[in-house]
Amino acid sequence: MAKHLIESQQFTKELLFKLFKRAEELRISPSDSLKGKVLTTLFYEPSTRTRLSFESAMLKMGGQIMGTENAREFSSVSKGESLADTIRVIASYSDAIVMRHNEEGSAEKASQVSNVPIINGGDGKGQHPTQALLDVYTIHKEIGRLDNIKIAMVGDLTSGRTVQSLCYLFGKFSGVQIIFISPENLKINQNIKDYLERHNIKFTEEDNLEKILPTIDIVYMTRIQKERISPKDYEKAKGKFIINDTNLELIPKDARIMHPLPHVEEIDISLYKEQNDPRVAYFRQAENGLYIRMALLEQLIPTN
Ligand code: CP
Protein backbone atom coordinates (compact mmCIF):
# COMPACT_ATOMS: atom_id res chain seq x y z
CA MET A 1 0.00 0.00 0.00
CA ALA A 2 1.12 3.58 -0.59
CA LYS A 3 2.55 5.40 2.39
CA HIS A 4 -0.48 7.69 2.83
CA LEU A 5 -4.21 6.83 2.85
CA ILE A 6 -6.05 9.65 1.10
CA GLU A 7 -8.87 7.99 -0.85
CA SER A 8 -10.65 4.64 -0.76
CA GLN A 9 -9.68 3.74 -4.34
CA GLN A 10 -6.20 3.05 -2.97
CA PHE A 11 -7.33 -0.22 -1.34
CA THR A 12 -6.93 -3.33 -3.45
CA LYS A 13 -9.29 -6.26 -2.89
CA GLU A 14 -6.34 -8.28 -1.68
CA LEU A 15 -5.43 -5.66 0.93
CA LEU A 16 -9.06 -5.35 2.10
CA PHE A 17 -9.28 -9.07 2.85
CA LYS A 18 -5.85 -9.05 4.48
CA LEU A 19 -7.03 -6.22 6.79
CA PHE A 20 -10.33 -8.02 7.56
CA LYS A 21 -8.36 -11.13 8.60
CA ARG A 22 -5.93 -9.15 10.72
CA ALA A 23 -8.78 -7.21 12.36
CA GLU A 24 -10.37 -10.50 13.40
CA GLU A 25 -7.07 -11.69 14.90
CA LEU A 26 -6.56 -8.39 16.75
CA ARG A 27 -10.13 -8.48 18.07
CA ILE A 28 -9.30 -11.72 19.88
CA SER A 29 -5.69 -11.04 20.69
CA PRO A 30 -4.35 -7.46 20.54
CA SER A 31 -0.67 -7.11 19.70
CA ASP A 32 1.81 -4.53 20.97
CA SER A 33 3.49 -4.25 17.59
CA LEU A 34 3.27 -0.42 17.65
CA LYS A 35 5.08 -0.04 20.99
CA GLY A 36 7.26 3.08 20.94
CA LYS A 37 5.33 4.64 18.03
CA VAL A 38 3.37 7.90 18.27
CA LEU A 39 0.10 8.69 16.46
CA THR A 40 -1.09 12.29 16.18
CA THR A 41 -4.80 12.94 15.69
CA LEU A 42 -5.26 16.40 14.17
CA PHE A 43 -8.95 17.25 13.88
CA TYR A 44 -10.23 20.53 12.41
CA GLU A 45 -13.84 19.23 12.47
CA PRO A 46 -15.78 17.47 15.28
CA SER A 47 -15.58 13.69 15.62
CA THR A 48 -16.44 11.01 18.12
CA ARG A 49 -15.84 7.70 16.36
CA THR A 50 -12.98 8.39 13.98
CA ARG A 51 -10.70 10.19 16.41
CA LEU A 52 -11.40 8.09 19.48
CA SER A 53 -11.32 4.74 17.68
CA PHE A 54 -7.95 5.63 16.12
CA GLU A 55 -6.66 6.70 19.52
CA SER A 56 -7.98 3.55 21.18
CA ALA A 57 -6.55 1.43 18.34
CA MET A 58 -3.10 2.97 18.79
CA LEU A 59 -3.17 2.51 22.58
CA LYS A 60 -4.35 -1.10 22.27
CA MET A 61 -1.46 -1.76 19.86
CA GLY A 62 1.05 -0.57 22.46
CA GLY A 63 1.61 2.86 20.89
CA GLN A 64 1.07 6.37 22.21
CA ILE A 65 -1.14 9.22 21.09
CA MET A 66 -1.17 13.00 21.05
CA GLY A 67 -3.24 15.57 19.21
CA THR A 68 -6.02 18.07 19.25
CA GLU A 69 -9.75 17.61 18.83
CA ASN A 70 -10.21 21.26 17.83
CA ALA A 71 -7.22 22.21 15.70
CA ARG A 72 -8.90 25.35 14.38
CA GLU A 73 -8.84 26.81 17.89
CA PHE A 74 -6.10 24.90 19.71
CA SER A 75 -3.35 24.73 17.09
CA SER A 76 -1.26 27.53 15.61
CA VAL A 77 -3.62 27.69 12.63
CA SER A 78 -5.46 30.19 14.86
CA LYS A 79 -2.35 32.41 14.54
CA GLY A 80 -2.35 32.06 10.77
CA GLU A 81 0.00 29.10 10.33
CA SER A 82 -0.45 27.21 7.04
CA LEU A 83 -1.55 23.59 6.97
CA ALA A 84 1.71 22.67 5.23
CA ASP A 85 3.85 24.15 8.01
CA THR A 86 1.68 22.55 10.71
CA ILE A 87 2.03 19.13 9.07
CA ARG A 88 5.80 19.45 8.51
CA VAL A 89 6.29 20.12 12.22
CA ILE A 90 3.86 17.48 13.54
CA ALA A 91 5.39 14.89 11.19
CA SER A 92 8.72 15.42 12.92
CA TYR A 93 7.10 14.48 16.27
CA SER A 94 5.02 11.50 15.06
CA ASP A 95 5.05 8.16 13.28
CA ALA A 96 1.65 8.79 11.62
CA ILE A 97 -0.99 11.52 11.50
CA VAL A 98 -4.76 11.07 11.27
CA MET A 99 -6.25 14.31 10.01
CA ARG A 100 -9.81 15.53 9.60
CA HIS A 101 -10.23 18.85 7.83
CA ASN A 102 -13.10 20.93 6.51
CA GLU A 103 -11.53 21.42 3.05
CA GLU A 104 -11.73 18.80 0.32
CA GLY A 105 -8.21 17.98 -0.89
CA SER A 106 -6.54 18.93 2.40
CA ALA A 107 -5.35 15.38 3.16
CA GLU A 108 -3.70 15.19 -0.25
CA LYS A 109 -2.00 18.56 0.40
CA ALA A 110 -0.79 17.35 3.80
CA SER A 111 0.62 14.16 2.26
CA GLN A 112 2.80 16.24 -0.07
CA VAL A 113 4.79 17.67 2.84
CA SER A 114 4.69 14.79 5.33
CA ASN A 115 7.42 12.20 5.66
CA VAL A 116 5.16 10.05 7.87
CA PRO A 117 1.82 8.47 6.81
CA ILE A 118 -1.14 10.83 6.54
CA ILE A 119 -4.46 9.07 7.10
CA ASN A 120 -7.46 10.98 5.80
CA GLY A 121 -10.07 11.01 8.59
CA GLY A 122 -12.47 13.00 6.38
CA ASP A 123 -11.76 16.02 4.16
CA GLY A 124 -14.81 18.25 3.80
CA LYS A 125 -17.16 16.94 1.11
CA GLY A 126 -14.36 14.76 -0.24
CA GLN A 127 -13.60 11.32 1.17
CA HIS A 128 -13.55 9.30 4.38
CA PRO A 129 -11.63 6.19 3.33
CA THR A 130 -11.32 4.54 6.76
CA GLN A 131 -15.10 4.78 7.18
CA ALA A 132 -15.52 3.00 3.84
CA LEU A 133 -13.01 0.41 5.03
CA LEU A 134 -14.98 -0.30 8.20
CA ASP A 135 -18.22 -0.28 6.20
CA VAL A 136 -17.09 -3.01 3.80
CA TYR A 137 -15.61 -4.94 6.73
CA THR A 138 -19.01 -4.74 8.45
CA ILE A 139 -20.94 -5.79 5.33
CA HIS A 140 -18.61 -8.76 4.87
CA LYS A 141 -18.94 -9.73 8.54
CA GLU A 142 -22.72 -9.32 8.67
CA ILE A 143 -23.80 -10.59 5.23
CA GLY A 144 -20.85 -12.84 4.42
CA ARG A 145 -20.03 -11.36 1.01
CA LEU A 146 -19.26 -8.16 -0.88
CA ASP A 147 -20.11 -9.40 -4.38
CA ASN A 148 -23.78 -9.63 -5.38
CA ILE A 149 -25.22 -7.35 -2.74
CA LYS A 150 -28.11 -4.93 -3.10
CA ILE A 151 -27.68 -1.77 -1.06
CA ALA A 152 -29.86 1.32 -0.67
CA MET A 153 -27.87 4.46 0.18
CA VAL A 154 -30.16 7.02 1.74
CA GLY A 155 -29.93 10.67 2.79
CA ASP A 156 -27.41 13.37 1.96
CA LEU A 157 -25.73 11.88 -1.09
CA THR A 158 -24.28 15.18 -2.36
CA SER A 159 -21.94 16.08 0.47
CA GLY A 160 -21.84 12.69 2.20
CA ARG A 161 -18.18 11.70 2.04
CA THR A 162 -18.89 8.25 3.53
CA VAL A 163 -21.26 7.44 0.65
CA GLN A 164 -18.75 8.60 -1.94
CA SER A 165 -15.86 6.61 -0.42
CA LEU A 166 -18.05 3.51 -0.13
CA CYS A 167 -19.14 3.78 -3.79
CA TYR A 168 -15.48 3.86 -4.82
CA LEU A 169 -14.89 0.61 -2.91
CA PHE A 170 -17.92 -1.09 -4.48
CA GLY A 171 -16.22 -0.49 -7.83
CA LYS A 172 -13.84 -3.29 -6.83
CA PHE A 173 -16.59 -5.92 -6.49
CA SER A 174 -19.05 -7.52 -8.91
CA GLY A 175 -22.80 -7.87 -9.00
CA VAL A 176 -23.32 -4.91 -6.64
CA GLN A 177 -26.59 -3.03 -7.13
CA ILE A 178 -26.97 0.41 -5.55
CA ILE A 179 -30.23 2.29 -5.08
CA PHE A 180 -29.69 5.95 -4.27
CA ILE A 181 -32.54 7.54 -2.29
CA SER A 182 -32.16 11.20 -1.43
CA PRO A 183 -34.05 14.45 -1.17
CA GLU A 184 -34.29 16.16 -4.57
CA ASN A 185 -31.67 18.77 -3.57
CA LEU A 186 -29.06 16.26 -2.27
CA LYS A 187 -28.68 13.75 -5.08
CA ILE A 188 -25.60 11.64 -5.77
CA ASN A 189 -22.89 13.50 -7.70
CA GLN A 190 -22.29 12.89 -11.41
CA ASN A 191 -18.62 11.96 -10.85
CA ILE A 192 -19.74 9.02 -8.66
CA LYS A 193 -22.27 7.89 -11.28
CA ASP A 194 -19.56 8.10 -13.96
CA TYR A 195 -17.21 6.04 -11.79
CA LEU A 196 -19.86 3.37 -11.15
CA GLU A 197 -20.66 3.16 -14.86
CA ARG A 198 -16.98 2.74 -15.70
CA HIS A 199 -16.79 -0.11 -13.16
CA ASN A 200 -20.01 -1.84 -14.31
CA ILE A 201 -21.83 -1.23 -11.02
CA LYS A 202 -25.60 -1.01 -11.55
CA PHE A 203 -27.39 1.86 -9.85
CA THR A 204 -30.76 3.54 -9.88
CA GLU A 205 -32.20 6.63 -8.20
CA GLU A 206 -35.52 6.20 -6.39
CA ASP A 207 -37.67 8.31 -4.10
CA ASN A 208 -39.80 5.67 -2.36
CA LEU A 209 -37.94 4.16 0.60
CA GLU A 210 -40.81 1.85 1.62
CA LYS A 211 -40.94 0.31 -1.87
CA ILE A 212 -37.21 -0.45 -1.79
CA LEU A 213 -36.81 -1.71 1.80
CA PRO A 214 -38.21 -5.26 1.19
CA THR A 215 -35.73 -5.80 -1.65
CA ILE A 216 -32.36 -4.96 -0.13
CA ASP A 217 -29.50 -6.64 1.74
CA ILE A 218 -28.28 -3.39 3.29
CA VAL A 219 -29.89 -0.03 3.90
CA TYR A 220 -27.12 2.52 4.49
CA MET A 221 -28.68 5.58 6.13
CA THR A 222 -26.90 8.94 6.36
CA ARG A 223 -27.55 12.20 8.16
CA ILE A 224 -28.57 15.38 6.36
CA GLN A 225 -25.45 17.44 7.04
CA LYS A 226 -26.85 20.72 8.26
CA GLU A 227 -23.33 22.13 8.59
CA ARG A 228 -22.55 21.73 4.88
CA ILE A 229 -25.71 23.13 3.27
CA SER A 230 -27.78 26.32 3.40
CA PRO A 231 -30.62 26.60 5.98
CA LYS A 232 -33.07 26.60 3.04
CA ASP A 233 -31.67 23.36 1.63
CA TYR A 234 -31.67 21.79 5.10
CA GLU A 235 -35.36 22.63 5.63
CA LYS A 236 -36.18 21.10 2.24
CA ALA A 237 -34.26 17.89 2.96
CA LYS A 238 -34.70 17.07 6.65
CA GLY A 239 -37.00 14.29 7.75
CA LYS A 240 -37.73 13.05 4.21
CA PHE A 241 -36.41 9.52 4.72
CA ILE A 242 -36.62 7.88 8.14
CA ILE A 243 -36.29 4.31 9.41
CA ASN A 244 -38.74 3.80 12.27
CA ASP A 245 -40.40 0.89 14.06
CA THR A 246 -43.08 0.71 11.36
CA ASN A 247 -41.05 0.54 8.16
CA LEU A 248 -38.38 -1.55 9.94
CA GLU A 249 -40.85 -4.42 9.50
CA LEU A 250 -40.47 -4.14 5.70
CA ILE A 251 -36.76 -4.97 5.86
CA PRO A 252 -35.89 -8.66 5.22
CA LYS A 253 -34.93 -10.69 8.30
CA ASP A 254 -31.35 -11.24 7.15
CA ALA A 255 -30.78 -7.66 5.88
CA ARG A 256 -28.94 -5.01 7.86
CA ILE A 257 -29.37 -1.31 8.70
CA MET A 258 -26.08 0.55 8.66
CA HIS A 259 -25.20 4.17 9.37
CA PRO A 260 -21.77 5.79 9.70
CA LEU A 261 -23.18 7.76 12.67
CA PRO A 262 -23.86 10.18 14.22
CA HIS A 263 -27.56 9.86 13.41
CA VAL A 264 -30.35 12.33 14.09
CA GLU A 265 -33.99 12.02 13.03
CA GLU A 266 -33.32 9.66 10.05
CA ILE A 267 -33.16 6.78 12.56
CA ASP A 268 -36.18 6.68 14.86
CA ILE A 269 -36.13 3.10 16.13
CA SER A 270 -37.16 2.34 19.70
CA LEU A 271 -34.37 1.55 22.15
CA TYR A 272 -35.68 -1.99 22.67
CA LYS A 273 -35.50 -2.77 18.95
CA GLU A 274 -32.13 -1.05 18.59
CA GLN A 275 -30.78 -3.32 21.30
CA ASN A 276 -32.47 -6.55 20.27
CA ASP A 277 -33.14 -6.58 16.53
CA PRO A 278 -30.17 -8.17 14.72
CA ARG A 279 -30.91 -6.07 11.64
CA VAL A 280 -29.73 -2.97 13.52
CA ALA A 281 -26.00 -3.14 12.74
CA TYR A 282 -24.77 0.44 13.21
CA PHE A 283 -23.33 0.07 16.71
CA ARG A 284 -21.51 -3.12 15.71
CA GLN A 285 -20.34 -1.15 12.65
CA ALA A 286 -18.86 1.59 14.88
CA GLU A 287 -17.14 -1.04 17.05
CA ASN A 288 -15.69 -2.73 13.96
CA GLY A 289 -13.97 0.59 13.26
CA LEU A 290 -11.68 -0.01 16.22
CA TYR A 291 -10.38 -3.41 15.06
CA ILE A 292 -10.01 -2.52 11.40
CA ARG A 293 -8.15 0.69 12.36
CA MET A 294 -5.81 -1.39 14.54
CA ALA A 295 -5.05 -3.51 11.48
CA LEU A 296 -4.67 -0.41 9.30
CA LEU A 297 -2.24 1.32 11.68
CA GLU A 298 -0.13 -1.83 11.79
CA GLN A 299 -0.13 -1.88 7.99
CA LEU A 300 0.82 1.79 7.57
CA ILE A 301 3.32 2.46 10.36
CA PRO A 302 6.76 1.03 9.65
CA THR A 303 8.05 -0.90 12.68
CA ASN A 304 11.68 -1.64 11.89
N1 CP B 1 -18.58 8.13 11.17
C1 CP B 1 -17.81 9.15 11.61
O1 CP B 1 -16.91 9.66 10.92
O2 CP B 1 -18.12 9.57 12.87
P1 CP B 1 -17.42 10.77 13.63
O3 CP B 1 -17.78 12.04 12.89
O4 CP B 1 -17.98 10.72 15.02
O5 CP B 1 -15.93 10.55 13.59
Side-chain angles (χ1 to χ4, degrees), residues 166-179:
L166 188 52
C167 284
Y168 286 125
L169 279 191
F170 284 143
K172 298 181 185 291
F173 294 91
S174 59
V176 177
Q177 285 183 63
I178 307 177
I179 301 126

Side-chain angles (χ1 to χ4, degrees), residues 47-50 100 128 131 260-261:
S47 167
T48 297
R49 279 144 290 271
T50 308
R100 172 171 289 185
H128 193 347
Q131 179 67 46
L261 302 177

Side-chain angles (χ1 to χ4, degrees), residues 177-196:
Q177 285 183 63
I178 307 177
I179 301 126
F180 294 117
I181 303 176
S182 65
E184 196 56 38
N185 55 338
L186 294 175
K187 283 181 171 293
I188 192 77
N189 294 316
Q190 189 59 44
N191 63 326
I192 300 293
K193 293 193 216 174
D194 293 343
Y195 176 89
L196 294 173

